[in-house]
Amino acid sequence: MGVKILKPLLPLRDIVVFPSMVVPLFVGREKSIKALQESMKTDKTIVLVSQKNPEIDDPANKDIYSYGCLGKVLQLLKLPDGTVKVLVEGEKRVKIHEISKEDKNFLTGNIEIIEDTNKTKESEFFALSLVKKFEKLLVLNKRDLS
């Protein structure tokens, strides 16, 4: 078992963020904005985790999946209506062991970083081969459109 760290949580509706994804998010919930502000005070990382039901406004432990993605805040912009537009980049998969209620202003999670275990030379070869085939498909598709 790896090292557990306490990080602010940002529950997401209708989106799952994976490592290497760069995603713009519009954040309106007070607790979520406070979690973002807290992450900006430290190392600009926050746990991005999907909600099981997007209709719930104040998600608790049971409403949030137990795996998420540690994300880095690249850009944060406060909008005139009080919401925040944030650009985040997924960095590493994490397991959320427990959600802490210590700070009532926002959710924090006791997390453990999950390292990739299935990375082999063979899987890298297949991934590279797939990317090359996709690039070829894009070139062929552009010819069909003209």
Side-chain angles (χ1 to χ4, degrees):
M1 207 131 134
V3 180
K4 291 182 186 169
I5 10 180
L6 199 62
K7 286 283 179 193
L9 290 183
L10 182 61
L12 304 174
R13 306 176 202 247
D14 300 324
I15 188 169
V16 178
V17 178
F18 293 97
S20 301
M21 280 177 67
V22 176
V23 185
L25 300 170
F26 289 92
V27 180
R29 290 186 275 202
E30 195 62 37
K31 280 187 177 184
S32 296
I33 292 170
K34 284 190 164 72
L36 279 167
Q37 289 169 342
E38 183 65 22
S39 77
M40 295 304 281
K41 290 179 194 172
T42 56
D43 60 0
K44 295 187 178 181
T45 60
I46 191 164
V47 177
L48 308 162
V49 60
S50 297
Q51 288 183 209
K52 294 177 181 175
N53 180 355
E55 315 244 326
I56 295 173
D57 278 333
D58 192 11
N61 208 342
K62 64 178 176 38
D63 306 313
I64 295 173
Y65 287 102
S66 56
Y67 284 87
C69 186
L70 186 65
K72 184 96 170 171
V73 176
L74 302 176
Q75 193 177 50
L76 191 132
L77 181 66
K78 292 178 181 159
L79 301 175
D81 64 356
T83 61
V84 173
K85 181 180 180 183
V86 63
L87 190 65
V88 292
E89 179 178 15
E91 290 188 335
K92 294 185 177 283
R93 288 183 339 115
V94 295
K95 165 100 174 113
I96 302 163
H97 288 282
E98 72 176 292
I99 294 174
S100 173
K101 301 283 186 190
E102 286 175 26
D103 192 336
K104 296 285 183 200
N105 292 330
F106 59 90
L107 295 174
T108 54
N110 213 338
I111 62 150
E112 174 187 1
I113 293 173
I114 306 295
E115 297 299 333
D116 289 336
T117 55
N118 60 351
K119 207 170 195 179
T120 63
K121 283 282 181 201
E122 188 180 27
S123 68
E124 284 185 40
F125 169 77
F126 285 129
L128 191 60
S129 171
L130 188 60
V131 167
K132 286 181 179 176
K133 286 181 180 176
F134 184 69
E135 287 170 346
K136 188 174 181 181
L137 176 65
L138 285 174
V139 170
L140 291 171
N141 202 16
K142 282 182 184 171
R143 284 192 207 140
D144 290 344
L145 294 173
S146 10

